[in-house]
Amino acid sequence: MGNADLSRWQGIEHEFRVGISSESPGLYRYARFYHVDEVIHALENYTFFDGIEAICSKLRRRNDGFLRNGSRIYICTGGHLEIATPECRDAFEALKYDKAAELYMQIGVEKANERYREKLKRRGSQNTYIQCWKANVEIDKRYSRGTHESYIADRKKFVGKENLLIPFLVLRKIFFGAGGFVAEKDGIKYVVSPKAMVSRRVLTESPSQWPILSTRDEPLSTKDKYRIHITSGEGVRSEVTRLLNNALTSYVIDAIESEKLTHVEEIWNPLQTFKDISMNTEGDWVIKLMNGRTESAIDYLNHYYLSVIEELFEERETSYWDEYALDTFKRLSDKLSQGLLEDMYVVRRLEWVLKLWVIEHEIDDFEYDYIPKGKFDYRSMYLMDERMEKEIAASFDFTNLCDYDLYEHIADRIGVERILTEEDLGEALLFPPKNSRAELRVRLASEFENAALSWNKITITKEPKIKIDMSRPTG
């Protein structure tokens, strides 16, 4: 892609929380991993109304395959069920396919439950069933799942300049955190970003060390490209939060490549700042810099990042969603600078604020039945009263894609900002992005049953016995 506009190839990988239900699903220490196979195989056997199967490729080792929309589905390290979106041209497209992944999980869980309930009925039990949550971190921070973002950059123009991106990744959680409860030494707390609280490194090669940014050189593209692999992302339900997260991050990368952004004041101890920012749900975030000064986190973002993004907008062709993203971000920034966290404009657009607002203002309407403690139960580990227990359960149900979707219930009732139409969702569910290599993958998989697919290669093992290099994201 050239530099005429602000598009950038990108994608999102999300590890879903799959497990059995209970009356207090959020209070179990971890999801029981052995149900992920059932969900994948349910999708493998699912056919849409047009006669095309949900999974277009033959499943390989670790149930690794591609969905008909070009997304990849597999069991990753740790036994989590992961869906990675296809290659997307911009943040709006990434949002569409991230939401399509939720729909695939809903279909898979629903079909898996049809078989699971029959099995339980034969055993004389009908009280449990499989569910799925789009949640990254358990209350016990040892149990965590990943949401990774990938952005393709020009190798020569980005590598070695990671220090310019790190402060943005640290501070963007103020706007794009998922919100949730984690256990700290002084008790269980609601934080802006549960993922920030489990991060262990700023920069390191291995994603398994839970860094803010992985430096593993795995471009999945041509040698002149570099994959910026952000391993501190979070699964969110809010469409505005997801769009703005990916859009603003793309613009910052563009500013680094174009050398509009060449210097930022270093943040003192970025990893600790990452956690301190997340612990503060009151607003008025202040950061310490390496030069000894302190500064408002939002002023820092506006001074170093927003200013150069506005320069880009003056020079490049912008789409409707580019203009929407920048205008919305600036309005949210103004609101947060004034401490207006409960302003409904903010509540309807930022996930962590919406979730906290629900817990503080809507908790009495949340149906929750207290039950005795279970074997894998947080209540056996941490002190909590019944109200705290109810708040934690509501926080997890906010991410529940299946049984009782608290997010959708609240979103409809208070008018949460929506971006996608039914047509957008249908297109992302059924078809890969147009003129992308995902489109070519799906087409070849439909024509050659024996095609072995990967992100950037296709191997047909029988006639015509060819290997296709698809290093470029375009088809």
Side-chain angles (χ1 to χ4, degrees), residues 324-375:
Y324 172 92
L326 181 58
D327 178 67
T328 305
F329 181 78
K330 289 166 70 173
R331 291 184 66 182
L332 288 167
S333 180
D334 288 342
K335 297 280 187 184
L336 296 187
S337 293
Q338 298 172 56
L340 301 176
L341 286 173
E342 293 209 351
D343 187 300
M344 292 308 292
Y345 183 88
V346 179
V347 172
R348 293 186 178 109
R349 289 162 179 82
L350 296 187
E351 176 125 344
W352 78 264
V353 181
L354 172 60
K355 193 181 291 185
L356 181 59
W357 186 87
V358 168
I359 290 167
E360 292 180 342
H361 299 281
E362 300 288 323
I363 194 66
D364 291 336
D365 293 333
F366 174 63
E367 296 181 5
Y368 175 77
D369 295 323
Y370 180 86
I371 63 170
K373 296 177 183 178
K375 181 179 179 182

Side-chain angles (χ1 to χ4, degrees), residues 3 8 154-161 164 250-264 304 307-309 311-312 315-316:
N3 291 325
R8 178 174 300 277
D154 186 303
R155 180 178 293 274
K156 290 183 179 179
K157 294 179 180 179
F158 180 82
V159 174
K161 301 178 182 178
L164 299 174
S250 297
Y251 305 150
V252 170
I253 294 168
D254 216 318
I256 294 171
E257 282 187 336
S258 63
E259 297 188 331
K260 292 188 178 300
L261 182 62
T262 58
H263 170 74
V264 295
Y304 288 108
S307 59
V308 294
I309 289 172
E311 286 183 38
L312 282 173
E315 298 177 3
R316 304 285 182 84

Side-chain angles (χ1 to χ4, degrees), residues 131-145:
Q131 290 199 79
C132 173
W133 298 263
K134 199 177 185 182
N136 290 103
V137 180
E138 302 295 313
I139 299 171
D140 184 337
K141 294 182 295 183
R142 292 175 298 173
Y143 302 101
S144 174
R145 289 164 297 277

Side-chain angles (χ1 to χ4, degrees), residues 41-83:
H41 289 307
L43 281 171
E44 186 181 21
N45 295 317
Y46 184 77
T47 301
F48 283 93
F49 62 90
D50 57 2
I52 298 177
E53 296 174 344
I55 295 180
C56 69
S57 66
K58 186 177 180 180
L59 291 176
R60 298 186 294 164
R61 185 176 62 89
R62 296 185 66 82
N63 284 332
D64 188 344
F66 283 88
L67 298 169
R68 63 172 290 175
N69 72 349
S71 297
R72 191 171 189 170
I73 186 169
Y74 53 99
I75 300 175
C76 67
T77 304
H80 306 297
L81 194 161
E82 181 165 341
I83 295 181

Side-chain angles (χ1 to χ4, degrees), residues 411-437:
D412 287 340
R413 190 152 65 79
I414 71 169
V416 165
E417 176 88 339
R418 305 276 192 176
I419 290 175
L420 300 176
T421 64
E422 289 187 5
E423 289 76 12
D424 291 328
L425 290 169
E427 182 180 48
L429 182 70
L430 301 176
F431 306 106
K434 292 181 179 178
N435 300 317
S436 68
R437 68 184 185 187

